[in-house]
Amino acid sequence: MTDRYAVIGNPISHSKSPLIHSLFAEQTGQDISYETIEAPLDGFVATIARLRSENYKGCNVTVPFKFNAFECATELSERALAAQAVNTLTFDDGKITGDNTDGAGLVRDIELNIGVTLQGKRVLLMGAGGAAYGVVLPLLTADASLIIANRTANKALELARKFPAADVRGCSYPELDNQQFDVIINATSAGLTDSEVPLPAGIFAPGALAYDMMYGRETPFIKFAREQGVQVADGLGMLVEQAAEAFFIWRGVRPDTTPVIAALRAS
Ligand code: ATR
């Protein structure tokens, strides 16, 4: 019997997840179906109840329901706890297990696809909202030396304080003056409104990587990075890698992401 999965969001019609998971399934010979479900804004819990009653095996969760998914899980992974958000639910034996694969997806894209090792690197994470929360623990697990900068500096300090034993601290943008980083990751929503993030000139170390978690548009951050002559990457690889991590959780098989990223770039 075909095992059923879905991605829940609102809106959801433009999601690339069904295409990504169908390519994974074809490649690995897994018999699954994967559809989009637009839940009403007040209807997340009811949607999960329906999927469970119809024997779905799990689902992905996207905007604006990642915190609802966190609250409805009966078990949570360490990375879901650190993220305070869940993007992957697995239904099994009456349990609802919540995980967050976003940060692992980011780290795998940077290290395996782009080929930049994070260990010991000076990494600047911009933003302290949901997108930033999702990636801090995996960046620290990769042994990066992490600074989190945010327009509202207190939120960056608060996020950094959640990892008291780790090499991480929060700050404002002006405090970045005269510092340099090997990897700068944009986890802000500034690109959505074509706004600049206020980075000082000279922020990139020689050979640095500028990574924008957004994809499908050239953000002012990426434009700025190009002008500085550094390597740039968008979030398409992360999108595919977080999906591969969810696929691995559900199916125990790790798909090859390279042809899937290439197919999405071509489409
Ligand atoms: P998401 O879930 O996408 O992270 P969010 O929780 O609303 O969305 O967080 C948006 C992040 O982008 C925040 O860190 C926000 O900074 P503030 O906490 O100061 O609001 C950041 N952000 C949004 N627009 C920005 C801009 N123009 N310049 C700098 N940071 C910006």
Side-chain angles (χ1 to χ4, degrees):
M1 252 200 17
T2 303
D3 287 338
R4 299 171 77 186
Y5 298 89
V7 57
I8 307 176
N10 186 335
I12 197 66
S13 59
H14 296 300
S15 173
K16 296 190 190 302
S17 294
L19 171 61
I20 294 170
H21 281 277
S22 72
L23 291 171
F24 288 167
E26 196 180 315
Q27 183 198 102
T28 59
Q30 294 283 311
D31 184 13
I32 67 160
S33 68
Y34 189 105
E35 73 209 77
T36 56
I37 296 177
E38 183 168 288
L41 292 177
D42 61 353
F44 182 76
V45 172
T47 302
I48 294 298
R50 175 175 75 78
L51 297 190
R52 293 178 73 203
S53 74
E54 293 176 5
N55 290 320
Y56 281 69
K57 299 290 183 191
C59 63
N60 286 130
V61 180
T62 187
V63 181
F65 297 123
K66 289 186 184 181
F67 187 67
N68 304 70
F70 178 79
E71 286 191 310
C72 106
T74 58
E75 337 271 317
L76 287 164
S77 68
E78 192 190 0
R79 50 197 194 180
L81 275 167
Q84 303 272 288
V86 158
N87 77 338
T88 304
L89 289 171
T90 308
F91 310 136
D92 186 25
D93 274 349
K95 290 185 301 190
I96 306 177
T97 305
D99 203 340
N100 191 312
T101 66
D102 287 330
L106 173 70
V107 168
R108 290 182 71 89
D109 192 35
I110 292 175
E111 294 205 314
L112 303 179
N113 300 334
I114 300 169
V116 172
T117 306
L118 290 167
Q119 187 179 30
K121 294 280 166 62
R122 297 163 294 176
V123 176
L124 170 62
L125 178 66
M126 302 189 294
Y133 265 78
V135 301
V136 174
L137 179 64
L139 287 171
L140 292 172
T141 305
D143 263 341
S145 172
L146 190 61
I147 303 281
I148 305 168
N150 196 46
R151 183 175 58 182
T152 313
N154 270 340
K155 283 166 64 181
L157 297 177
E158 194 183 317
L159 175 50
R161 270 200 296 269
K162 296 193 183 293
F163 305 88
D167 182 7
V168 54
R169 65 182 182 81
C171 69
S172 66
Y173 287 102
E175 287 173 81
L176 297 173
D177 277 351
N178 304 317
Q179 293 192 58
Q180 282 201 322
F181 295 90
D182 306 301
V183 178
I184 302 187
I185 300 164
N186 185 14
T188 75
S189 55
L192 285 175
T193 53
D194 264 337
S195 311
E196 308 258 351
V197 255
L199 287 177
I203 189 89
F204 291 106
L209 169 68
Y211 192 105
D212 204 310
M213 285 167 56
M214 201 165 276
Y215 63 88
R217 65 156 80 203
E218 173 110 339
T219 63
F221 166 63
I222 290 294
K223 281 189 195 119
F224 170 74
R226 277 193 208 285
E227 284 158 19
Q228 307 291 312
V230 303
Q231 187 183 2
V232 302
D234 69 5
L236 190 74
M238 174 180 174
L239 175 77
V240 175
E241 291 295 342
Q242 64 77 30
E245 192 76 13
F247 193 89
F248 178 68
I249 290 169
W250 292 330
R251 311 303 300 179
V253 185
R254 200 173 269 291
D256 179 4
T257 51
T258 307
V260 178
I261 294 171
L264 262 77
R265 287 243 180 260
S267 74

